[in-house]
Amino acid sequence: MTRPVRTPEVPPGHIQRRRLIERLDAAARTPLTVVTAPAGWGKTVLLASWAHAASRLGPVVWISVERDGAGDLLSRVDKGVAAAAARGGAPAPRPVVVVDGFHLVRDADVLAEVEQLVRYGDGGVRLILAGRTDPALPLHRFRVDGVLTELRAEDLAFSVEETAQFVASMGVECTETALFRLHAATEGWAVGLRLALGAAPQRTDPALLLEDDGYFASVAEYLSVEVIDALPSERRRLLLETSAVEHLSAGLVESLTGRVDGGALLAELSRADLFLRREVGPGGWYRFHPLFARTLYAQLRRRMPDRVRDLHGRAADWHAVHGLPGDALRHSLLAGRWRQATDVLSRHWTDLVVGPRRGLPADDGPTPGRSELPAELALAFAAEHLRRGDADGMRGYLRMADRHVRNGGNGNGNGNGNGNGAPRMAAALHLAEATVFGDPRVALSLVPPVLGDPSEELADETRALALLSSGRAWMRIGQWGQARQPLSEALVLAQRTSMVQAQICAAGLLATLEAVQGRLRLAAAIGRRALTTAERFGLTDAVDLAWTRMALAEVYYQWECLADAEHQAELGLDLAGDNVEALAFGEVHRARLRLAHGHFAAALNVVLAARRELATAAPPLRTALALVEAETRVATGDFAAAARALPDRADAEIFAGWAAVVEATVQYGEGRFTAALATASVPVESHPSSLTWQVRGALLMALAGRALGDRARVVRHLETAMAAAEDEGFRRPFVAGGHPVRDLLATFGPLLPVYHPMASELSTVDPVPAPVPAVELGTAGPPVGVLLEPLTERELIVLRYLQGTMSNDEIAATLYVSVNTVKTHIKNIYRKLNAGRRREAVRRARELRLL
């Protein structure tokens, strides 16, 4: 008899589930909430959030169908509601009835009564039905009627920040990069994280557990007992057969299983929430959770070993026919079809050597049975290890191929019309190794061997690969300005020749460059096109998409769509893997988003950890991290520390405008308005390299002009900021400016030579407590009211911290003082501002233009 495996519960109250609480808040407006997720998602995560959600939703009645059965379900609901109402007092809040395990309810009468309760109830109760599959209720009608809130696995998954909180709650030390690897591998699945961290105290890096056989055995045991073994034998066989591939479509399922209803089968499995999720976009692709997929594939190899090679062969044929050479190569090798693998490589090598995909399992399948492989077969294995992200494995096969090439073994000479054989393919793979894993300067020197004889007429595919490699290498070196032209040309050629992976890579890097330069609409268009291409071909796990996600995060951040920016940054970090530059860019976004929410200490922690752990990133990214640190110091009013954090002008390069704006903000905060004007003019007038910093610089110059009483300067620079902002949709610089910028727009907006609707709109926005990049120190116009006793410099710094959500302990830790000292400062602030609490003090300080 198989022993049951208990779901490891997450300690309630340890995880601040902001996203989930927002979704549960929506449940307060609908009589029915359906929580549908596989084993280990729904109850575990819901309980972890309940301490924070219960106060919003009202008294809770918990009913377990698994424990008590479905009999008399409605009478138990009535009794629970009555008891909750009696406890609630008068007026009694509407109780919440949580029915856990509702997927076990099959009685038609009970289902009909629940439907009637939802449809015709008087609003006296809210139902939350939690189960592993959708309940047998007319959910489509409830959606139309607006009486339904739905939560699924993606809503219940831990975000990166929630994963960090969970790791901390387990008492485990975890670096930032290890945190990202944990989150990417588990995709926020609480049980997977719990099992990983349970063994982490014996490890220095909990992310290493993801490759540990013991850890995987515990995950596989849980999934086997709780999910797979409970399935009917036919359904289990279907899951095992489809586990041979990483992504599924209707046609691919039919090719693997011999069925004719692949689309209906995938939709049914997805509704049953068997760790199968439909990918967004036009491709109609599905994929299993990575840990579930690995468990299924292990069972396939154990239970049906004779079917494994046949399934990979079918997958190879299907992918080859449908224009997916990377997957065709992979499955040809796993099926032991050496001729097919070398044929795929020789036809499509220019697109196969672009870059890795995230999370491909380390499975070589059968081997050719010899220690020394033919050149092209060794190159095929090298290309597959490149796509897997295995640098050491790739280099080993490359050395084997090099020996043949040196001895004159040129392969079969097949290629894309160029006479390409083993020598050129080997050169391309050496270029890819240097570009992706090695020294980018070496990569630049390896471009000519790929191009071959200068007099030779090159195919567009070869030119696209060479240009793309050059652009990537220039970005890794830090010469971002040099990268735009080759990347733009590579993208055009890749689109012309249908090089899918090259399109994704070139578009992601180019979108990043455009976003950094403030060309937001173009960056968004390029990024979205790259995502659509990836979605159509099932390549949503390409590591190069990390750059696309980061570019979109920058766009949404500047558009003040902070939730979308956070989502894109999180997806980018999941994809980044070991790409130090992409990780650094993701950390820049994480820190800035915390600043935008007023979480100053959290922002500082993120950026300081990133600067320690990602010290090998390209110079522009190190500069960006330094500038985020300086902005964080400015937001807290510590201008001296901000000045120390500023990088040297020589290191700023592409972020020269950003560096100038931050330096000017420090000068402005110190009351040196003339100096601030001169410094801020660099991105506005002297060196207008980025629209982002033109807008920020022009706003700062307008504020400085107002402080100096120069009305004409205020109008001129405010017009410059508004014109650039409306072209690209900038909102963040205005919202982040807080009260000073809002007052500037309200006062001088009507005086601008051109009417800007955005000015009147932004002047009425009440910003969330956030860092104020331009702090007025009592000289910018007459204050509203009089402060009889001025605040000291230290009290001003503490006051700026009070805008956010930091506790007294956090403020003390950030300022390196005792908590009692902070409390004394706060007491003096309240007394001088005639305020009784934090919010009132902040409001009063803004009226007095201290903030």
Side-chain angles (χ1 to χ4, degrees):
M1 181 177 177
T2 305
R3 68 180 181 86
V5 179
R6 296 291 182 190
T7 302
E9 298 289 358
V10 181
H14 282 270
I15 315 299
Q16 300 287 340
R17 301 301 316 283
R18 179 173 56 81
R19 277 192 321 190
L20 181 56
I21 290 171
E22 289 172 358
R23 298 286 291 140
L24 288 170
D25 281 341
R29 298 186 290 273
T30 57
L32 175 63
T33 298
V34 172
V35 182
T36 308
W41 287 88
K43 181 180 176 183
T44 300
V45 181
L46 201 60
L47 281 174
S49 305
W50 208 255
H52 303 284
S55 61
R56 291 172 166 81
L57 296 177
V60 179
V61 177
W62 194 281
I63 298 173
S64 173
V65 175
E66 188 172 11
R67 185 187 63 227
D68 303 321
D72 295 327
L73 179 62
L74 270 295
S75 65
R76 278 185 280 152
V77 169
D78 291 338
K79 291 178 182 177
V81 169
R87 292 194 305 268
R94 291 190 301 164
V96 178
V97 177
V98 181
V99 183
D100 187 34
F102 195 80
H103 63 283
L104 300 173
V105 177
R106 296 286 186 267
D107 190 310
D109 292 336
V110 174
L111 292 169
E113 289 179 337
V114 171
E115 180 181 351
Q116 294 299 310
L117 180 62
V118 174
R119 282 188 174 281
Y120 305 110
D122 59 0
V125 65
R126 290 188 297 272
L127 284 176
I128 295 183
L129 306 181
R132 298 187 185 182
T133 61
D134 281 348
L137 296 170
L139 299 184
H140 60 289
R141 295 180 185 173
F142 293 159
R143 293 187 191 106
V144 173
D145 294 339
V147 298
L148 174 65
T149 299
E150 295 180 87
L151 284 82
R152 298 189 178 274
E154 53 267 28
D155 300 307
L156 301 171
F158 285 162
S159 67
V160 170
E161 295 310 312
E162 291 160 356
T163 300
Q165 293 175 33
F166 183 52
V167 170
S169 74
M170 295 284 291
V172 176
E173 300 256 339
C174 187
T175 65
E176 293 284 293
T177 50
L179 175 69
F180 302 144
R181 291 184 63 199
L182 278 171
H183 184 265
T186 61
E187 296 188 349
W189 181 37
V191 169
L193 285 167
R194 179 70 172 226
L195 293 172
L197 297 173
Q202 288 79 41
R203 303 294 185 105
T204 57
D205 184 351
L208 295 176
L209 290 165
L210 301 173
E211 297 152 14
D212 184 88
D213 290 339
Y215 164 69
F216 176 66
S218 64
V219 172
E221 180 188 16
Y222 176 83
L223 291 172
S224 297
V225 174
E226 291 290 325
V227 183
I228 299 172
D229 293 346
L231 295 172
S233 58
E234 183 181 356
R235 174 67 57 83
R236 183 166 57 246
R237 180 183 179 87
L238 285 171
L239 290 179
L240 295 180
E241 289 178 335
T242 55
S243 70
V245 296
E246 286 74 43
H247 291 255
L248 294 165
S249 69
L252 182 53
V253 167
E254 291 168 2
S255 178
L256 291 172
T257 64
R259 296 172 62 117
V260 295
D261 59 345
L265 176 63
L266 285 171
E268 179 186 348
L269 293 174
S270 179
R271 284 194 300 271
D273 275 302
L274 288 170
F275 286 85
L276 182 70
R277 187 177 72 183
R278 192 188 192 282
E279 301 273 55
V280 297
W285 293 94
Y286 292 75
R287 69 175 181 86
F288 289 112
H289 186 285
L291 292 174
F292 189 66
R294 185 177 171 186
T295 301
L296 285 174
Y297 189 63
Q299 291 207 13
L300 170 69
R301 297 179 66 176
R302 187 176 71 252
R303 297 186 183 196
M304 305 162 63
D306 297 337
R307 288 277 287 145
V308 175
R309 293 183 67 167
D310 175 60
L311 289 169
H312 284 300
R314 291 175 180 231
D317 293 339
W318 189 91
H319 285 105
V321 168
H322 288 82
L324 298 167
D327 292 294
L329 174 67
R330 173 175 174 76
H331 292 289
S332 297
L333 292 172
L334 291 172
R337 296 183 177 183
W338 316 129
R339 181 179 293 277
Q340 183 179 20
T342 56
D343 184 59
V344 169
L345 178 70
S346 64
R347 291 176 183 274
H348 303 285
W349 62 271
T350 51
D351 204 29
L352 289 173
V353 300
V354 169
R357 290 171 63 176
R358 187 200 76 177
L360 288 179
D363 180 10
D364 284 327
T367 57
R370 64 191 93 167
S371 59
E372 197 71 16
L373 306 183
E376 288 199 355
L377 185 55
L379 292 172
F381 275 102
E384 168 57 20
H385 280 267
L386 167 66
R387 294 182 71 248
R388 191 188 296 171
D390 179 5
D392 292 336
M394 178 190 183
R395 289 165 182 148
Y397 282 109
L398 268 179
R399 286 193 294 270
M400 187 183 299
D402 287 342
R403 288 193 289 271
H404 285 282
V405 171
R406 283 195 300 270
N407 294 331
N410 291 338
N412 60 24
N414 292 337
N416 42 20
N418 265 353
N420 298 315
R424 184 166 286 176
M425 287 189 286
L429 279 161
H430 278 291
L431 173 60
E433 188 276 330
T435 303
V436 177
F437 304 121
D439 187 340
R441 288 182 172 80
V442 173
L444 288 172
S445 70
L446 292 175
V447 171
V450 174
L451 296 175
D453 189 339
S455 64
E456 182 182 359
E457 183 178 349
L458 289 177
D460 285 344
E461 293 92 339
T462 307
R463 290 176 55 221
L465 174 62
L467 289 165
L468 174 59
S469 300
S470 297
R472 294 172 82 177
W474 283 120
M475 285 194 70
R476 286 195 61 201
I477 290 171
Q479 301 292 329
W480 286 24
Q482 297 269 15
R484 173 174 279 105
Q485 173 114 14
L487 289 174
S488 300
E489 293 182 22
L491 179 58
V492 172
L493 291 172
Q495 290 171 337
R496 182 187 301 166
T497 55
S498 301
M499 295 171 64
V500 177
Q501 294 189 112
Q503 288 181 56
I504 292 170
C505 179
L509 294 171
L510 192 58
T512 301
L513 289 174
E514 301 296 355
V516 166
Q517 293 296 315
R519 289 183 277 270
L520 305 182
R521 301 193 192 281
L522 179 58
I526 295 173
R528 288 165 180 163
R529 195 180 308 128
L531 288 180
T532 301
T533 301
E535 290 157 0
R536 181 178 296 117
F537 290 94
L539 297 175
T540 52
D541 52 0
V543 170
D544 289 314
L545 278 178
W547 288 106
T548 304
R549 297 292 186 183
M550 298 304 179
L552 290 174
E554 173 68 15
V555 170
Y556 288 128
Y557 173 79
Q558 297 297 345
W559 285 348
E560 193 59 19
C561 301
L562 299 184
D564 291 326
E566 191 167 1
H567 178 63
Q568 294 294 337
E570 185 170 301
L571 292 174
L573 285 168
D574 278 348
L575 286 167
D578 296 325
N579 188 319
V580 175
E581 281 74 29
L583 288 173
F585 206 22
E587 292 288 68
V588 167
H589 286 301
R590 286 183 71 213
R592 292 167 77 190
L593 287 164
R594 266 133 207 80
L595 274 179
H597 291 298
H599 303 154
F600 306 136
L604 193 59
N605 289 338
V606 166
V607 74
L608 292 179
R611 294 189 71 180
R612 287 193 305 271
E613 295 178 29
L614 305 173
T616 59
L621 277 308
R622 296 201 301 271
T623 297
L625 287 167
L627 290 170
V628 174
E629 180 185 348
E631 285 192 324
T632 308
R633 305 287 188 184
V634 167
T636 63
D638 194 346
F639 300 114
R644 289 193 298 271
L646 281 170
D648 294 336
R649 288 288 184 91
D651 295 335
E653 296 185 3
I654 197 170
F655 294 124
W658 187 0
V661 166
V662 177
E663 182 179 354
T665 305
V666 172
Q667 294 165 342
Y668 182 86
E670 293 172 339
R672 296 186 287 136
F673 305 119
T674 303
L677 274 170
T679 306
S681 68
V682 172
V684 179
E685 299 169 352
S686 306
H687 185 63
S689 60
S690 169
L691 288 171
T692 304
W693 308 112
Q694 284 185 50
V695 173
R696 286 276 300 273
L699 271 179
L700 190 56
M701 293 176 77
L703 287 167
R706 186 180 188 186
L708 294 170
D710 189 339
R711 177 171 173 163
R713 190 187 296 274
V714 174
V715 172
R716 183 170 74 254
H717 292 304
L718 188 57
E719 169 63 26
T720 300
M722 292 306 308
E726 286 190 331
D727 286 344
E728 296 294 341
F730 283 99
R731 293 178 62 88
R732 170 100 294 252
F734 300 91
V735 175
H739 176 78
V741 170
R742 194 168 39 145
D743 185 57
L744 193 74
L745 291 170
T747 304
F748 292 92
L751 304 178
L752 298 179
V754 177
Y755 172 69
H756 295 281
M758 190 175 172
S760 56
E761 175 195 348
L762 290 171
S763 66
T764 60
V765 172
D766 187 16
V768 175
V772 182
V775 182
E776 305 199 43
L777 298 183
T779 57
V784 180
V786 178
L787 188 63
L788 297 178
E789 184 180 352
L791 299 180
T792 66
E793 182 180 351
R794 181 60 73 171
E795 288 167 355
L796 278 170
I797 293 174
V798 172
L799 173 63
R800 287 162 196 145
Y801 280 112
L802 296 181
Q803 296 176 95
T805 59
M806 294 174 64
S807 67
N808 292 346
D809 289 337
E810 290 173 323
I811 295 173
T814 304
L815 296 177
Y816 300 103
V817 297
S818 70
V819 177
N820 288 334
T821 301
V822 170
K823 289 179 178 178
T824 301
H825 288 318
I826 292 175
K827 182 179 178 181
N828 291 336
I829 291 169
Y830 287 177
R831 176 177 57 79
K832 293 178 181 180
L833 293 175
N834 193 25
R837 53 192 180 125
R838 176 183 285 208
R839 183 177 298 178
E840 186 180 354
V842 170
R843 179 183 58 77
R844 177 69 174 151
R846 286 175 176 162
E847 290 174 353
L848 293 167
R849 305 205 178 173
L850 297 171
L851 296 174

